[in-house]
Amino acid sequence: MAQSTADDAPIVELHDMGKMYGNIRALRGIDLAVRPGRVTCVLGDNGAGKSTLIKVISGLHQHDEGEYRVDGEPVRFTTPREALDRGIATVYQDLAVVPLMPVWRNFFLGSEITRGVWPLRRLDIERMKKIADEELRAMGIELDDIDRPIGTLSGGQRQSVAIARAVYFGARVLILDEPTAALGVKQSGVVLKYIAAARDRGLGVIFITHNPHHAYMVGDHFAVLRLGALELSADRGQVSLEELTNHMAGGAELAALKHELAQVRGVDVEGLPEETELPATPASSS
């Protein structure tokens, strides 16, 4: 795993950040730092605030409280394009690809390379194919045919192409929205491999997931959201997989229910934590 050093200044920082939707407080008191060459895993159940966090960092929504900094400078993005211009790219679960278009065409979708002058300007197809193939191979992604429709690739391969595309177009922070949520074990492993590859190329990766096992395989720092607040913020050396899973699963609530569930016939409560077993939240090092 990547090790923190004194000079690995955060690319993205959130300080006491909060977000309101009318009278609803979606996020409150969020402190988070995303550093180059590190994977920051953000975990939480449905409704925990993960989607709102993505929207603020990616520039889709603005924060209402606290501070959002990029390279130490306070920012307030009004569009995702502004965030992208600062090197913050987001790969969403649906990927926004055109299934019937070839891989190379999707790689450059919206940013096509052209040659010639108007009115004779045309797509530089050979150059785009060459670049797409080289960039995919640089990430360790080897496809037998760059012309095949991207819809024929597996889910893990499509996610990997999206990651390589973001790296090529200058991403310094890569936000991945539940990239393994709809994938099987093997394809999830493919995506985790390329998350590690992106980290090794010096990107700061924000890995949004509800799977603590996937997070623990590649994560350097873990932030668990619960009802819009940080329940846990800890580096890898400060938290075990078991502790991370307990925080993610709402261990306090499970412990409180253990006695009541024990009264129900056919319910096995042996695996549920006792209240005294729940780990304390380590101090954040972000």
Side-chain angles (χ1 to χ4, degrees):
M1 289 295 147
Q3 298 298 316
S4 178
T5 61
D7 58 354
D8 63 345
I11 304 172
V12 164
E13 295 175 276
L14 303 176
H15 293 283
D16 200 28
M17 190 273 285
K19 174 65 184 173
M20 301 284 293
Y21 293 109
N23 293 326
I24 305 299
R25 185 181 295 275
L27 293 172
R28 65 182 186 278
I30 302 297
D31 291 307
L32 193 67
V34 180
R35 303 176 189 277
R38 287 168 61 87
V39 177
T40 299
C41 298
V42 178
L43 302 97
D45 209 345
N46 293 335
K50 302 191 303 296
S51 294
T52 302
L53 184 65
I54 292 174
K55 290 172 182 175
V56 171
I57 297 176
S58 66
L60 191 61
H61 291 173
Q62 294 184 331
H63 58 289
D64 299 308
E65 302 168 346
E67 196 168 47
Y68 177 9
R69 298 178 186 171
V70 176
D71 298 322
E73 173 191 344
V75 296
R76 184 173 289 273
F77 298 134
T78 58
T79 66
R81 170 55 63 181
E82 291 181 7
L84 192 57
D85 289 343
R86 296 294 296 268
I88 300 168
T90 305
V91 176
Y92 290 100
Q93 220 172 327
D94 58 13
L95 295 180
V97 297
V98 181
L100 296 180
M101 281 187 176
V103 171
W104 67 265
R105 190 74 171 84
N106 274 279
F107 191 92
F108 283 97
L109 193 62
S111 302
E112 291 81 0
I113 298 174
T114 59
R115 62 180 177 176
V117 295
W118 189 89
L120 301 178
R121 183 177 295 128
R122 60 194 184 279
L123 295 177
D124 194 340
I125 294 174
E126 290 308 312
R127 186 179 175 198
M128 285 191 285
K129 286 184 179 181
K130 183 175 184 292
I131 291 174
D133 187 48
E134 289 175 350
E135 290 299 317
L136 291 172
R137 289 178 184 276
M139 288 287 291
I141 306 165
E142 296 189 14
L143 301 178
D144 53 3
D145 184 7
I146 203 79
D147 281 306
R148 68 187 290 187
I150 199 169
T152 65
L153 300 182
S154 68
Q157 288 175 317
R158 289 196 299 271
Q159 287 279 356
S160 302
V161 170
I163 291 171
R165 181 186 190 277
V167 172
Y168 172 72
F169 283 103
R172 296 188 302 139
V173 172
L174 183 61
I175 306 171
L176 300 172
D177 176 24
E178 300 273 8
T180 62
L183 303 180
V185 174
K186 182 177 180 180
Q187 292 305 318
S188 293
V190 170
V191 174
L192 295 175
K193 172 184 174 182
Y194 296 121
I195 290 175
R199 175 191 62 202
D200 292 344
R201 292 188 66 170
L203 276 72
V205 181
I206 303 176
F207 177 23
I208 309 292
T209 183
H210 63 271
N211 189 318
H213 296 275
H214 289 173
Y216 209 75
M217 287 180 186
V218 296
D220 298 296
H221 186 86
F222 305 97
V224 178
L225 286 173
R226 180 167 177 77
L227 299 177
L230 274 178
E231 179 174 294
L232 172 75
S233 181
D235 280 346
R236 185 181 185 84
Q238 297 176 295
V239 63
S240 68
L241 174 58
E242 182 181 4
E243 291 170 339
L244 185 64
T245 302
N246 278 341
H247 276 280
M248 174 65 193
E253 286 77 7
L254 290 177
L257 287 172
K258 184 171 184 178
H259 176 73
E260 295 176 28
L261 288 173
Q263 315 304 316
V264 181
R265 180 179 299 176
V267 177
D268 182 6
V269 298
E270 288 302 314
L272 295 180
E274 298 286 355
E275 192 164 2
T276 56
E277 294 174 356
L278 296 177
T281 301
S284 170
S285 64
S286 289

